[in-house]
Amino acid sequence: GSLLLTCCLLQSAWAQACPFMVSEVYAARQAPGATGRPTAGWEAVKLPDSWVLRWPDYSGTVWYRIVLPDPCGVTPQGREPVAMIVKSINMAGEIYLNDTLLWRDESLQEPLPRSWNMPRYFILPDAALGPTGNAIWIRVVGRAVVTPGLGMVMTGPAAQMLAYHEKVWWSHRTVYVINLVASLCIAGLFTGIWLLYRKQSVHGWFALLNFAWVVFFYNVVATDPWPFGDTVGVARSNTIAFTAFCTFYCIFSYQLRGQNLQRWQQRGLAALTLGGALLVALVPEKQLAFTIRMAWTLHMGVFGLACIAPLFHAWHNRSRENVFYSLVGLSFVFIALHDTHNFYHPTPDALLLTPYANLSTMIIIAGVLGSRIAASMRRTERFNVELTAAVEQACRELETTMGKEHQLAL
């Protein structure tokens, strides 16, 4: 019993000695034409790291050297092995433990695989570990337009890392796949409804915004740039899909409340979105990052105004439905601010709320539109019943009148 207790205490002490977070990280650009690791130019960085903040407009290869603390070296006999999680590599790369290759993307040149939202889990082999002086080497290849760099890297006991990886996999992959499937189903359903009832354009706009959301969100789960030939093509299409989503949402949110944008508003919104899409599609890559930021900023403003507008409508007409729409709009503004902050200032356990909020909101809105369709069908059914009864009553009255006239004629 004392031996077992001693083993458990040693195991716990070793797990605490090998820290969960790495703290000593360095980065250096690979010289053009070079193939090996850089020998100079190393700079201390903090993860997650985006190298355009340090080397603006740089597209190419950057090496990261992550120094492992000595307690994460060779695992004592009978102890749990060391594992590592790499949350993201933007855009493609390869990973070494000292001089041992652990993993490599299919390609390190365009078209680049998309590892920017792919958490990876590795058990560090004892054969590649030394007693001291161990390091993880990560080579990252990226384009400046997509803010390339390296995400969080964590080390620790294998079981603990595996449990954390499953949690990260859910929040980075699974929830987005569920979101895509649900949005695609909703888009297909309301496309069919709009084709049957074309006078109800609100159904068509709801289908369009869901299709745009699917195209935009596909970027999160895609593992290659298909159907585009490179990373820049994906960045262009993703931005255009986002601007289209914001525009479609603005139009839909007004029609959902039984309102319409004024003609000058419609023309201005169309000009903003189409003009922005043309610029994003055609500008050279050197000016693309600035153009994308402008398109995102302007259309986030459109989205924000569309979310706030129900507040003014609810102020003048405080029906239950209008209050609901205003609360939904306010929640969208809060979630957009929350996720924007967490995206640009990430923490190890930062949670993005957008996929959860979008899924629940789209299902609720689909229910609202479905209840309207059901109510319309019930009204039509009641009208048909009342019309049939009125026709039957008229026929009986006509029959009675004609019978009396016939008797008088006799």
Side-chain angles (χ1 to χ4, degrees), residues 14-51:
W14 174 82
Q16 293 174 7
C18 183
F20 186 65
M21 304 293 295
V22 296
S23 57
E24 198 173 347
V25 185
Y26 302 90
R29 287 179 288 185
Q30 181 173 289
T35 56
R37 301 167 185 171
T39 56
W42 291 96
E43 299 182 26
V45 299
K46 290 184 178 181
L47 299 181
D49 176 65
S50 175
W51 74 57

Side-chain angles (χ1 to χ4, degrees), residues 36 77 124 194 223 304 321 328:
Q77 185 67 30
L124 305 184
W194 175 75
T223 56
E321 196 172 67
V328 170

Side-chain angles (χ1 to χ4, degrees), residues 157-193:
Q160 185 181 0
M161 290 293 97
L162 180 59
Y164 186 75
H165 178 261
E166 291 173 353
K167 175 184 174 182
V168 173
W169 187 268
W170 164 264
S171 61
H172 283 62
R173 306 292 301 179
T174 306
V175 70
Y176 289 96
V177 173
I178 295 172
N179 212 290
L180 282 175
V181 173
S183 296
L184 192 59
C185 290
I186 291 173
L189 173 63
F190 279 89
T191 298
I193 293 173

Side-chain angles (χ1 to χ4, degrees), residues 186-211 251-252 255-256 365-366 368-374 376:
I186 291 173
L189 173 63
F190 279 89
T191 298
I193 293 173
W194 175 75
L195 290 173
L196 293 174
Y197 303 97
R198 295 197 180 186
K199 289 184 178 180
Q200 297 292 327
S201 59
V202 65
H203 300 143
W205 289 114
F206 189 53
L208 280 175
L209 75 86
N210 274 282
F211 277 125
I251 297 171
F252 166 76
Q255 293 200 359
L256 184 65
I365 293 177
V368 170
L369 292 176
S371 65
R372 290 184 180 181
I373 295 171
S376 176

Side-chain angles (χ1 to χ4, degrees), residues 69-401:
D70 289 344
C72 293
V74 176
T75 309
Q77 185 67 30
R79 302 294 190 270
E80 188 177 2
V82 179
M84 176 180 68
I85 292 175
V86 180
K87 275 195 173 182
S88 66
I89 296 176
N90 191 358
M91 186 61 64
E94 56 186 4
I95 301 175
Y96 293 85
L97 169 58
N98 296 325
D99 293 320
T100 300
L101 178 66
L102 297 180
W103 167 85
R104 175 184 289 146
D105 261 314
E106 295 177 1
S107 173
L108 295 180
Q109 58 186 5
E110 293 286 7
L112 289 172
R114 303 182 63 77
S115 294
W116 76 274
N117 195 47
M118 179 68 73
R120 301 188 186 277
Y121 169 84
F122 306 94
I123 292 181
L124 305 184
D126 275 350
L129 285 167
T132 60
N134 295 292
I136 301 292
W137 299 81
I138 301 181
R139 180 188 181 191
V140 180
V141 182
R143 304 284 284 269
V145 71
V146 291
T147 59
L150 181 64
M152 300 299 298
V153 176
M154 286 148 273
T155 60
Q160 185 181 0
M161 290 293 97
L162 180 59
Y164 186 75
H165 178 261
E166 291 173 353
K167 175 184 174 182
V168 173
W169 187 268
W170 164 264
S171 61
H172 283 62
R173 306 292 301 179
T174 306
V175 70
Y176 289 96
V177 173
I178 295 172
N179 212 290
L180 282 175
V181 173
S183 296
L184 192 59
C185 290
I186 291 173
L189 173 63
F190 279 89
T191 298
I193 293 173
W194 175 75
L195 290 173
L196 293 174
Y197 303 97
R198 295 197 180 186
K199 289 184 178 180
Q200 297 292 327
S201 59
V202 65
H203 300 143
W205 289 114
F206 189 53
L208 280 175
L209 75 86
N210 274 282
F211 277 125
W213 185 256
V214 168
V215 175
F216 169 63
F217 245 36
Y218 178 70
N219 170 66
V220 180
V221 299
T223 56
D224 59 64
W226 184 90
F228 302 95
D230 59 12
T231 302
V232 174
V234 177
R236 295 181 194 271
S237 67
N238 191 55
T239 302
I240 292 171
F242 176 75
T243 59
F245 166 78
C246 292
T247 299
F248 295 155
Y249 177 80
C250 181
I251 297 171
F252 166 76
S253 65
Y254 271 80
Q255 293 200 359
L256 184 65
R257 304 193 309 271
Q259 297 178 311
N260 285 302
L261 292 171
Q262 298 181 21
R263 182 169 296 181
W264 68 269
Q265 292 174 321
Q266 294 176 357
R267 290 177 178 176
L269 192 57
L272 176 66
T273 303
L274 292 176
L278 285 173
L279 281 175
V280 170
L282 299 176
V283 296
E285 183 179 349
K286 192 171 183 179
Q287 287 80 39
L288 182 57
F290 173 78
T291 306
I292 287 177
R293 285 195 298 271
M294 287 298 297
W296 271 74
T297 302
L298 290 172
H299 283 82
M300 279 296 290
V302 170
F303 179 78
L305 290 174
C307 291
I308 294 173
L311 285 173
F312 300 98
H313 190 54
W315 181 262
H316 295 290
N317 182 8
R318 299 183 185 180
S319 67
R320 184 178 302 175
E321 196 172 67
N322 289 336
V323 171
F324 168 74
Y325 294 147
S326 65
L327 291 176
V328 170
L330 279 177
S331 67
F332 278 175
V333 171
F334 167 77
I335 290 168
L337 293 174
H338 173 274
D339 285 3
T340 300
H341 178 270
N342 280 349
F343 185 81
Y344 289 105
H345 304 87
T347 59
D349 294 315
L351 177 66
L352 298 182
L353 301 176
T354 296
Y356 302 95
N358 175 75
L359 182 61
S360 57
T361 304
M362 291 304 169
I363 291 174
I364 291 172
I365 293 177
V368 170
L369 292 176
S371 65
R372 290 184 180 181
I373 295 171
S376 176
M377 293 177 67
R378 286 194 296 269
R379 285 195 300 270
T380 303
E381 184 178 352
R382 285 197 302 269
F383 174 77
N384 290 334
V385 171
E386 292 171 357
L387 180 62
T388 301
V391 169
E392 290 177 352
Q393 178 65 24
C395 289
R396 285 194 297 269
E397 291 176 355
L398 180 61
E399 183 180 358
T400 302
T401 302

